[in-house]
Structure formats: C-alpha cells, structure tokens
Amino acid sequence: MTYRSRIAGVSFFLVTALPLHAQRPLVDSLQELLQAQAQPDTLRIKRLQALAIALTATDLPQAQALTEQALTRSRHAHYAPGEARALLWLSTLSRRQAKYELARRYAQQAQQLFARLSQRQGQAESYLQLMLAELIQGNFAAALVAAQQGLPLAEQARDQQTKRRLQATLGSIYLNLEDYVAALPTLQAALTNGEQAGDHQVVMSMLNALGTVYTKQKNWPAALRYYSRAQQLATEQHDQVNSTINEINVADVYRLQGNYALAKGHGLHAQARALATQDTYSLPFAELLLAQVYQATGQPDSAIRLAHHSLQLGQQTRSKENMRDASEVLAQAYAARRAFAPAYHYQQVARAYTDTLAGEQTQRQTSALRYGYELDKKQAQIALLTKTRQLQAQQSARQHQQLIGLLVGLGGVGLLAGLLWRNVGLKQRANRRLNEKNQQIAEQRDALDYALLTLQATQGQLIQREKMASLGELTAGIAHEIQNPLNFVNNFSDVSAELVEELQQGRLAPVHEPELEADLLNDLHSNLHKIRAHGQRAATIVQGMLEHSRPSTGKRLPTDPNALCEEYLRLAYHGLRAKDSTVVVTLLTDYDAQSGLVEMEPQGIGRVLLNLLTNAFYAVRQRQQLATSTYIPTVRLSTRRLAQALEIKVYDNGTGMREEIRQKVFHPFFTTKPAGEGTGLGLSLSYDIVTQGHNGTLSVQSEVDYYTEFTLQLPLELSARPAALHR
C-alpha cells in the first residue's frame, strides 16, 4: 500500500474551518468582541471557541492556545457543553499535528461528556473524530466500530452532515483495504449524496478517493479527471491543505505514467504549498514523491537529500509507509552512487518496515474478520491463520535467500549491485502473490460482514416483535384491570356532584340546618378520598404498563415476590379473558408468607412471569377445546423461600410437552404455536433474564396431556431481610 491510500478518503475531513477569504473579517470581529468588558463566562467561552475554529487553517498554534483556554474556562465555570466542545476541537487539532494518541483521548473524553449531557449530535461528532484518528493510523477494525456506534446517534439527532461523513468514510475504509469492487459503488453513492446536500468536504473527499481507485486500476484518464474536479473545488473553497494533497496525487499519476517533467512540476508546487502553510501532514509525502522522481531521472543526490528529510518527518508522524518508501529510495540512490554500505543499511531498514507493515496488514485483516457471521467464525479464523502462516513462511524463506545473497555479494561491488536488482524483482513478484492472497481474505471478510449485519437486523426485528407481543398480552389484562378503579372514580364523582348540589340547595333554604350540612361535607370528603385512592390505583397500573414497555435498566431492587406474582397472574388472566371470554380457568395460589423481600430486577422477572403464565393459559385453553366437559382448566402459582434461593413455580394441567420439545423449549426462535401466534423468543429471553441477569435457574417438567410445570429459582446472596424487618 502506497502513501496515496493513506491520504485517500480522510484528508478532506482534516479542515472544517471557514474558507480563507471569509476568515479574516470573522477573526477581526471575534477579537474585538473578546476585548469587550464584563462578558459572561459562557459567552466568552463560545467566542474563544469560534475564534479558534476560524484560525485553524491559518494559525494552528494560536488555535490550539485559544481552545485550551476555552477548556480551562469551561471547567472553572462548570460549563459542561463548552468543555465537551473544547475537547472535541482539541481532538481535531491534535490529529492535524499527527498526535494520534492525544486525538483519540480527547475524542473519547468528549464522547463521554456528551453522553452524560444526553447530546446525541455531540456523541456522533466525537465518534467521527475517533474514526478519523483510527483510520489515518490504519486501524480499520477500530474505525469500523466507531462508525457503527456513531451512525445511529447521528440518525437519532438528525445530524445529516455527520451521518454523510461517517458513511463516506466507510467507503474510504474499503479503499484502504484495496477492495475496489465494494469501494467504487460506495464512494459513488457518497459523492452523489454530498453533491445533493452541498457538502463540499464530502464531495472533495469522494472525488479524491475515486481518483485513487482509478489510479490503482491504472485508469489514468479517469484518475486525472477526478483529481482535477477535486482540485477545482478545493481552489473555489480556498482550501490550501486539500489543494496540496491534490497536487501530490496528480504528480503521482504522472510519475506512474513515466511523465517525470509534469510529475516534478506538480510535486514542487505541492512542496511549496506545504512549506508556506506549515502543513506537516502533507510535506513528507510531497518530498518523497520528488525524491522518487529524481531517482527515476538519474539525480541521486537530490533524491537522497529529499528522501532523508521525508524519512525524518515520517519518523515524527510515525508513518511506517512513508518511512519504508523513503528508505527504499535511499537504498536505490546510494546504490546508484556505488555507496554500498549505506545502500545495504537502508535496504535493511526498508525490509524491516515492510515486515512490520505486512504484519499489521495481516493483523488488520484478522481483526476485521471478528465482525463476521458467528456460525462460520471458527472456520474462517482457522483458514485465516493457515494462510497467515503460509505467508509468513514464504516471507521468511525469501528474507533468508535475500540475506544470503547480500552476504555473498559483499565480496564484489559489481556482484552486489546485480544481487540488489535481482532482489527487487523477487520482492515485486512476492508482493503480487501476497496482494492476491490478501484480496481473497478481504473478500471473505466482506461476505462475513454482510452476513452478520443481515443476521443482526433480523434478530433485532424478531426481538422487537416478541416484546410487542408481550406488551399486547399485558395491555389486554391492564385494560380489564383498570376498568374497576375507573368505574369507582366515575361513580363517586357522580355522587359527589349530587352532594354538592344538595349542599348548595341547603344553603339557599330559609332554615339553615348545620347538622345536615356537616353530614354532606363529611360524605363529600369521604368520596373525594375514595376518588383519589382509585385514581392512584389506575395510575399505578398505567405506570406498571409503562415500566414493562420500556427497556430494562438492569437495576435490582428489594421486591415482594408474592405481590409481583399476584399482579402478573391477574394481568395475564385478564389478557386471556380479553381474547376469549368463554374460557374460565381455576386459579390456585400458594404464596410463602415468609418469602420476604428479594433483590431482583422487577421489570425483568415480571416479563418472565408474564411469559410463563401466558403460555400456561394458552396450554389449558388448547386442551379445553379438545377435551371432554369434565376437564377443569387449572393454573397454579406458588412461591417458596428455600435456604439459598427463592423458588417460584408455574403449573398448568394443559396439553403438556413431548420430551423432544421439552429439550428445545428454551432455544431461540423455537415455537410450537401456529405461524403468526409466536416468535419463539419468549422462553429464550426469559431464560436469559433468569440465568444471565440474576444468576438463577429456570427448568421445566411436563407430561403430554397431563401437566407442565416451570420452576424458577433466584439466589438469595443479595436478598434483603424478611419484609417485616423493613417496615
């Protein structure tokens, strides 16, 4: 992978400040406002941040100082939004200065602070900065994770700009993985979306990335066409940094075609731009390209000078690819000058960086495969490890041959030069084979990624369907249960209205009766208390329904298991009656009075009870439809406090289960109900809630046409004392 692919797809996101022609008036205006007296802290912080953004493209040190000042003031003023914004911009500035670890840390701190503030847009922007920092360093698996976390937040916040940039960078990841079949349509779609939205940053990035794809495919006219469009847009936006990168890309296309005169002209122009704008990111790439041109045109002295400087800059920015390519130029240039000692040294340095990058490439491929389809993951990992060992063995053998050849070649100057050229040819052929194998691995990874995304989407839909089915059962019971308190509220309201009317008539009567008036007021007062009590009961029922419908918090609370069982037994039965009023079931309860309060997550255990009771009522209803008139549908619910656990049993005398069904009853998506009546997730989710969420057990015993009994046990390690001790 050349340095061009490291630039492709991310460079245009490095500058998000205003165009240069629009910055000076804004800078002057902000500086005048900051000199004003008696400014509130929050207003001054906002102006400091705005000035820092405006100065980023022209005065990076000043922008850094202003942003750090805004961060300090925000923390002193306890102004969390200002602190988060300052951290986010410090991440951008650190990335611009190739301080990637610092950029990652600032982005993570900003994301955590935005999360505490419940600001989804800020979280999405933080994940974008984190993704760019990882992508520039070649950590593509980590960049994919950041993109997957940021995209839902951007959609929820309706932040279309951040969403477009996250999606566009996904196309750049395909490009950097050299999967051009997947990269081309993804980048074209992102380009169209950016043009429709007028997002110049996305448009410039996608034009640059598409030019890189066509350069890799040696489609020179298409590559120059896209680079020219990107350069024109950068010029219109007065974007010096992106103009420099485009100059490097165009120069490299001409170099690859052998047109060294045009390559040199564009390369010198790019070098001048980078020096004028203090662009430390682009300068080593521009000087490396010029060194390659000088080496190709027989000017080894100039090639050595520029390659040395590019290597030093690459070491500062930790760009292994730049250091590898610069070392290769130095090795070839010194060999051309017949200085074989330094040529051999830099050849060894280049080989070391090549080995490191090869290892990083293999590690990157392996990391990406972790996101593959779970059922094929082991086989894919075994195949990848086998191929990796084969590649390493081939590479080790090749290095051994090269080392032997170099040692033998030290005996003669001419023989050493010949061996060096021979080794270059062997390396090129080996790299081609390595690239072919890497492409095969990338194709396998992408197929697994697609399968995993499809599976996750399907599972999410099925889980939501099961939750809605459970909510429907609960709603039917609540509708019946809430009718009683509402009837009481309506009746007592009518009676209270009549009492008020009598009270008014008594006051207008010729003879005032204080005793009658006191009785009426007492009755009215009693009615209002009853209205309030039944209204609170209705509100409690509605609150319970809302708690069931919202996601579980996972927080354990001291809970009375008897009251919880009684509530969900009543709701499940009313749900059954709402579906079929002809079904009458005998309800038996056996609650342990010494059960006490038990530490549990009441929403989760409530869902478990609702699933078990709903299945029990379904079973007795099915058997009643087929049984004789002597059959009496019965459901029994019991609790019992054991030495180490609380035991809850749900028994029914319904249809029962065969042994082969009983063994699979807790498997995900397994159901015996007709299509449309069950998802096969109810008992699976219940099993996970009990076993994983509470470290308990859930088991079942059954006989066909006789009974079914589910036994739930919750450990008492975290349980509270008996209820009487808490009153």
Side-chain angles (χ1 to χ4, degrees), residues 30-181:
L30 288 171
Q31 288 176 338
E32 291 177 2
L33 291 172
L34 282 171
Q35 293 174 359
Q37 299 298 323
Q39 295 177 349
D41 286 342
T42 56
L43 179 59
R44 185 170 185 83
I45 290 168
K46 292 178 180 178
R47 288 174 176 173
L48 283 170
Q49 292 175 340
L51 182 57
I53 293 172
L55 288 172
T56 295
T58 57
D59 193 344
L60 198 61
Q62 180 66 11
Q64 178 87 17
L66 290 171
T67 308
E68 290 175 351
Q69 184 180 353
L71 177 62
T72 301
R73 286 182 175 271
S74 298
R75 288 173 173 171
H76 287 167
H78 302 289
Y79 180 44
E83 181 182 353
R85 282 290 162 190
L87 288 169
L88 187 60
W89 197 250
L90 283 173
S91 175
T92 300
L93 295 172
S94 299
R95 177 167 45 77
R96 286 285 311 280
Q97 300 172 74
K99 300 176 181 178
Y100 302 122
E101 290 297 331
L102 192 60
R104 181 189 294 111
R105 184 163 68 251
Y106 280 135
Q108 291 171 341
Q109 292 175 358
Q111 185 276 324
Q112 294 169 1
L113 191 52
F114 280 125
R116 290 201 297 270
L117 295 171
S118 299
Q119 293 186 7
R120 292 185 176 87
Q121 180 177 356
Q123 291 184 70
E125 293 174 357
S126 300
Y127 279 121
L128 174 60
Q129 293 302 322
L130 187 60
M131 180 182 67
L132 293 174
E134 300 289 1
L135 182 56
I136 291 173
Q137 299 178 86
N139 300 328
F140 301 110
L144 279 171
V145 171
Q148 292 169 351
Q149 292 173 320
L151 275 172
L153 293 167
E155 291 175 354
Q156 294 170 11
R158 298 182 180 179
D159 184 356
Q160 297 301 322
Q161 175 176 285
T162 303
K163 178 182 176 182
R164 282 193 304 274
R165 296 186 177 190
L166 286 165
Q167 291 173 331
T169 311
L170 286 177
S172 299
I173 292 175
Y174 283 125
L175 168 57
N176 284 277
L177 291 174
E178 300 181 359
D179 184 358
Y180 307 128
V181 174

Side-chain angles (χ1 to χ4, degrees), residues 456-686:
Q456 288 175 339
T458 303
Q459 288 178 335
Q461 293 171 359
L462 291 175
I463 290 172
Q464 182 64 21
R465 179 180 175 187
E466 173 61 26
K467 181 177 177 182
M468 295 307 297
S470 173
L471 183 60
E473 296 287 350
L474 182 63
T475 303
I478 287 176
H480 187 280
E481 181 69 13
I482 204 173
Q483 190 62 44
N484 288 332
L486 290 179
N487 287 339
F488 277 110
V489 169
N490 292 334
N491 292 338
F492 282 117
S493 297
D494 293 339
V495 172
S496 298
E498 294 177 0
L499 291 176
V500 171
E501 185 177 350
E502 291 183 17
L503 184 61
Q504 291 175 341
Q505 291 176 356
R507 290 190 174 183
L508 295 176
V511 180
H512 184 62
E513 299 182 21
E515 294 182 358
L516 177 60
E517 182 177 339
D519 290 340
L520 291 174
L521 288 174
N522 288 334
D523 291 342
L524 181 61
H525 185 265
S526 176
N527 288 350
L528 291 176
H529 275 290
K530 293 176 180 179
I531 290 172
R532 184 173 182 273
H534 289 290
Q536 288 178 340
R537 173 58 183 161
T540 301
I541 295 171
V542 171
Q543 182 65 26
M545 177 181 178
L546 293 175
E547 290 178 355
H548 180 82
S549 64
R550 66 170 59 100
S552 174
T553 62
K555 184 178 181 181
R556 295 186 180 185
L557 301 172
T559 304
D560 185 351
N562 296 342
L564 188 69
C565 289
E566 181 65 22
E567 179 179 0
Y568 279 93
L569 174 63
R570 184 172 59 253
L571 294 177
Y573 182 58
H574 289 326
L576 172 68
R577 296 278 295 169
K579 288 183 176 179
D580 188 351
S581 60
T582 64
V583 179
V584 178
V585 180
T586 300
L587 303 179
L588 302 178
T589 58
D590 183 13
Y591 301 143
D592 187 350
Q594 300 301 319
S595 63
L597 297 180
V598 179
E599 290 284 349
M600 68 176 71
E601 198 270 301
Q603 291 176 249
I605 299 302
R607 290 178 182 173
V608 173
L609 290 172
L610 187 62
N611 277 325
L612 297 180
L613 290 167
T614 300
N615 287 343
F617 286 129
Y618 180 86
V620 298
R621 181 187 177 196
Q622 292 296 107
R623 183 175 177 184
Q624 185 182 38
Q625 293 175 352
L626 302 174
T628 63
S629 59
T630 59
Y631 171 68
I632 301 176
T634 304
V635 172
R636 182 175 68 241
L637 182 60
S638 64
T639 63
R640 183 183 177 191
R641 188 182 183 96
L642 305 177
Q644 301 295 330
L646 173 75
E647 182 181 79
I648 301 176
K649 291 189 175 183
V650 179
Y651 168 91
D652 70 81
N653 63 344
T655 56
M657 290 181 284
R658 297 191 304 274
E659 177 64 21
E660 60 270 21
I661 293 178
R662 186 174 65 83
Q663 292 179 355
K664 297 187 290 186
V665 72
F666 295 121
H667 290 186
F669 311 112
F670 175 79
T671 180
T672 59
K673 295 180 182 178
E677 293 190 23
T679 64
L681 286 173
L683 289 177
S684 173
L685 294 176
S686 299

Side-chain angles (χ1 to χ4, degrees), residues 283-405:
L283 182 59
F285 298 131
E287 293 189 341
L288 176 59
L289 184 138
L290 286 171
Q292 290 172 324
V293 171
Y294 286 131
Q295 172 61 24
T297 55
Q299 303 177 64
D301 292 339
S302 298
I304 289 172
R305 176 177 55 81
L306 288 170
H308 265 301
H309 192 232
S310 178
L311 178 61
Q312 293 173 358
L313 294 176
Q315 290 170 342
Q316 294 173 7
T317 60
R318 301 193 300 259
S319 174
K320 295 185 180 67
E321 294 172 351
N322 178 276
M323 290 185 280
R324 177 200 62 191
D325 294 340
S327 298
E328 288 181 346
V329 171
L330 287 170
Q332 294 172 5
Y334 277 118
R337 292 176 55 185
R338 307 182 70 81
F340 297 108
Y344 175 75
H345 168 72
Y346 284 109
Q347 181 69 20
Q348 292 295 99
V349 172
R351 183 181 302 117
Y353 285 126
T354 300
D355 294 342
T356 301
L357 290 170
E360 291 179 354
Q361 175 75 2
T362 302
Q363 182 180 5
R364 182 183 67 209
Q365 303 284 355
T366 305
S367 299
L369 280 176
R370 288 202 303 268
Y371 301 94
Y373 186 39
E374 184 65 25
L375 296 181
D376 295 332
K377 182 172 65 176
K378 292 183 179 180
Q379 292 83 347
Q381 288 176 342
I382 292 172
L384 178 64
L385 291 173
T386 301
K387 292 181 179 179
T388 301
R389 285 195 294 269
Q390 293 173 351
L391 292 176
Q392 291 174 345
Q394 293 175 2
Q395 191 174 30
S396 177
R398 185 175 67 253
Q399 291 174 351
H400 183 66
Q401 293 174 358
Q402 291 174 345
L403 180 59
I404 293 175

Side-chain angles (χ1 to χ4, degrees), residues 246-256 262-263 266-267 289:
N246 272 303
E247 288 285 353
I248 299 172
N249 290 333
V250 171
D252 195 49
V253 173
Y254 285 126
R255 181 185 68 84
L256 292 172
L262 286 177
H266 286 282
L289 184 138

